[in-house]
Amino acid sequence: MAAQVMKPGRKLDERYLARQRWARAAWVYGAMLALAVFFIGPFYVAYLGSLKDNPLEWPFRYSFAQTQPKNWAAAWRLGQLGASNPWTGGFAPGANIPFQVSYFVEDGQEPQTPVVTVPTRRAGAGLGAIFDEVQAAQYARVSEVQEVGRRSAVVGGQPGQIVTYSFTIAYEGQGPRAPRLPLDIEAPRGQVYYSATLDPNRLERRGRVASWDSAAPGLLGYAFRNYVRVFNEARDPNTGASFFLRWTLNTFLVCVAVVLTTLLFASLAGYALARMYFPGKNYLFAFVVFTMTVPAQAIFISNYLVLRDLGLLSSLWGMVVWSAVGAGAVFIMKQFFESIPREIEEAALIDGASPITTFFRIIIPMATPALGALTILTFQGMWNEFFKAAVVLSGQQGNYTLPLGLSFFRNAYGVAGDWGLMLASAFLSMIPIIILFVVFQRYFVEGVSTSALKG
């Protein structure tokens, strides 16, 4: 009789415990999801902004022309027709580009043919405005604009009709290839833009004027316009070379050189502090730890004077010499070497190996996790290093690294409100770090965990 009374109670307890487990799991996963949205959300919004013609538009739209597949297909086809280049488009001899545009006209108004022009327009702002480029307006011929369709519709609660017009833009004769084909279409008052073969980059005057940066942009030239501009517009006025590519190469060279010097010197110093016996070793290690607390800004004047006397100002080698090895790297390697059993070195010594042979052929291969962690930490730190670059490389734009170059973009384009190019260049500068972390993440976790546990 007692067993029959207890049985429903156990079932109730099991259900209660199950609900508690599900509730805890929901809280944990909900918190993780909220943190992911909190940290990734701004990057996602910034990425969408880098694709837009106007990243500062408000309210912010998550669906716009550059994210529409129909525009991708149209941009591809128009780029092929304009210059036989569906990726970046253009306007070349022999091009014959058909184009259609539709306007909404309310009932009671008579539709009138819009005016189509190929304007003379420079590319973007900042550095792009100082370069001469072939203007498509000198070679483009626009055919007569003809009405090809009319249908009834209700737009915004207003009855009316949608009128479609068609025309072609031809490149007659011979001439140079123009990188862009700007296009403006202006409709009379009372008519509002409705649709077109390719969605315009801008709508002005309450929808009467539609404007395209290029009517034959190609897929990349339309969907990733700001990313293409990073390479095409920001160029050296003297040589015409792309600033962004030069800055990326400079940053790679500095990072690779600093990583190599850091791995070499930090390994040697860390091994000496961990394994060798010499007077003052503990005081030397305490001094190394102390230097980790001194910011670079506190000693930059002395470093600047040293680099000046060595003739390394405005040189990438100045960045390398200043950052050749850091106290934090020595600390990480020392902690890792202390985790290796001494018996391994004693066995190598019995077999006749010298200390140099033991270090390079036995200890260093075992230190792969710590070296991997040190590689990614050093590379990331140098890739984002701004202060040292501002001190050493200021004044020579061709010698800039990416952080200093992005600051230059902010001064050149930010004053004109051209934030799309800046967002695109910032995202491009993140790609190498993401690739590096994905490649070395296993070593990074192992190395940091081992050093931290020992410390």
Side-chain angles (χ1 to χ4, degrees), residues 162-383:
I162 295 174
V163 185
T164 301
Y165 302 93
S166 177
F167 60 91
T168 60
I169 307 173
Y171 192 129
E172 297 181 345
Q174 297 298 318
R177 175 185 178 278
R180 300 178 303 111
L181 177 60
L183 179 65
D184 289 340
I185 302 179
E186 181 176 1
R189 189 182 300 276
Q191 299 185 188
V192 178
Y193 168 84
Y194 183 76
S195 66
T197 302
L198 182 70
D199 287 350
N201 297 100
R202 288 173 297 279
L203 285 175
E204 301 171 345
R205 303 182 191 178
R206 297 185 177 182
R208 288 198 302 116
V209 178
S211 180
W212 288 260
D213 289 324
S214 179
L219 177 59
L220 296 179
Y222 188 79
F224 299 95
R225 170 176 167 269
N226 289 320
Y227 290 83
V228 175
R229 292 177 58 207
V230 170
F231 298 97
N232 291 342
E233 291 185 17
R235 291 178 288 142
D236 191 329
N238 299 319
T239 64
S242 170
F243 267 143
F244 192 81
L245 288 178
R246 180 65 180 274
W247 297 339
T248 303
L249 179 61
N250 290 345
T251 311
F252 262 115
L253 293 176
V254 170
C255 290
V256 170
V258 172
V259 166
L260 292 178
T261 57
T262 297
L263 293 181
L264 176 62
F265 295 130
S267 300
L268 292 171
Y271 187 72
L273 292 171
R275 285 291 191 261
M276 294 185 176
Y277 300 97
F278 54 88
K281 187 180 77 171
N282 292 333
Y283 293 106
L284 180 60
F285 179 65
F287 177 74
V288 170
V289 174
F290 171 74
T291 57
M292 293 171 61
T293 65
V294 180
Q297 289 80 1
I299 56 174
F300 88 93
I301 294 179
S302 59
N303 288 333
Y304 177 87
L305 295 176
V306 171
L307 295 176
R308 184 200 62 183
D309 294 341
L310 295 175
L312 294 178
L313 290 180
S314 302
S315 169
L316 297 178
W317 286 110
M319 288 281 294
V320 176
V321 170
W322 191 347
S323 311
V325 64
V330 176
F331 178 81
I332 289 176
M333 294 309 300
K334 175 187 178 294
Q335 299 303 102
F336 185 84
F337 287 137
E338 286 185 345
S339 68
I340 298 177
R342 287 182 179 272
E343 289 77 8
I344 295 176
E345 299 164 77
E346 293 171 356
L349 182 62
I350 293 173
D351 291 340
S354 65
I356 300 275
T357 303
T358 302
F359 177 74
F360 284 104
R361 302 191 63 176
I362 297 177
I363 300 300
I364 287 296
M366 297 178 65
T368 303
L371 295 177
L374 201 56
T375 297
I376 192 171
L377 288 174
T378 305
F379 193 96
Q380 182 186 23
M382 287 308 301
W383 190 267

Side-chain angles (χ1 to χ4, degrees), residues 378-429:
T378 305
F379 193 96
Q380 182 186 23
M382 287 308 301
W383 190 267
N384 297 322
E385 180 59 56
F386 175 80
F387 178 74
K388 294 178 181 177
V391 173
V392 178
L393 304 176
S394 60
Q396 299 291 331
Q397 295 170 356
N399 290 337
Y400 281 3
T401 53
L402 274 176
L404 206 57
L406 295 181
S407 176
F408 174 77
F409 276 169
R410 181 177 62 84
N411 295 330
Y413 291 91
V415 293
D418 193 356
W419 295 96
L421 184 142
M422 296 174 56
L423 287 172
S425 59
F427 268 90
L428 287 174
S429 69

Side-chain angles (χ1 to χ4, degrees), residues 9-79:
R10 283 200 296 270
K11 286 185 176 178
L12 182 62
D13 292 340
E14 291 174 357
R15 292 174 182 173
Y16 176 74
L17 293 175
R19 285 199 296 269
Q20 275 194 324
R21 287 196 297 270
W22 281 107
R24 282 197 294 267
W27 274 106
V28 170
Y29 283 105
M32 294 174 63
L33 182 62
L35 287 174
V37 172
F38 180 77
F39 287 108
I40 297 177
F43 287 95
Y44 177 66
V45 172
Y47 172 71
L48 292 180
S50 70
L51 301 178
K52 289 185 173 185
D53 297 304
N54 179 20
L56 303 180
E57 69 171 359
W58 185 261
F60 191 88
R61 292 179 299 143
Y62 292 89
S63 179
F64 46 93
Q66 281 75 12
T67 61
Q68 303 297 321
K70 71 178 184 66
N71 286 325
W72 301 347
W76 176 280
R77 183 172 57 81
L78 292 172

Side-chain angles (χ1 to χ4, degrees), residues 114-195:
V115 177
V116 179
T117 58
V118 177
T120 298
R121 184 180 299 155
R122 290 183 178 273
L127 292 174
I130 66 175
F131 289 101
D132 290 330
E133 67 173 24
V134 178
Q135 294 291 335
Q138 301 176 7
Y139 307 96
R141 188 184 66 83
V142 181
S143 68
E144 181 182 359
V145 181
Q146 296 180 340
E147 180 180 330
V148 295
R150 184 179 297 196
R151 59 185 174 88
S152 300
V154 177
V155 176
Q158 296 293 330
Q161 53 189 341
I162 295 174
V163 185
T164 301
Y165 302 93
S166 177
F167 60 91
T168 60
I169 307 173
Y171 192 129
E172 297 181 345
Q174 297 298 318
R177 175 185 178 278
R180 300 178 303 111
L181 177 60
L183 179 65
D184 289 340
I185 302 179
E186 181 176 1
R189 189 182 300 276
Q191 299 185 188
V192 178
Y193 168 84
Y194 183 76
S195 66

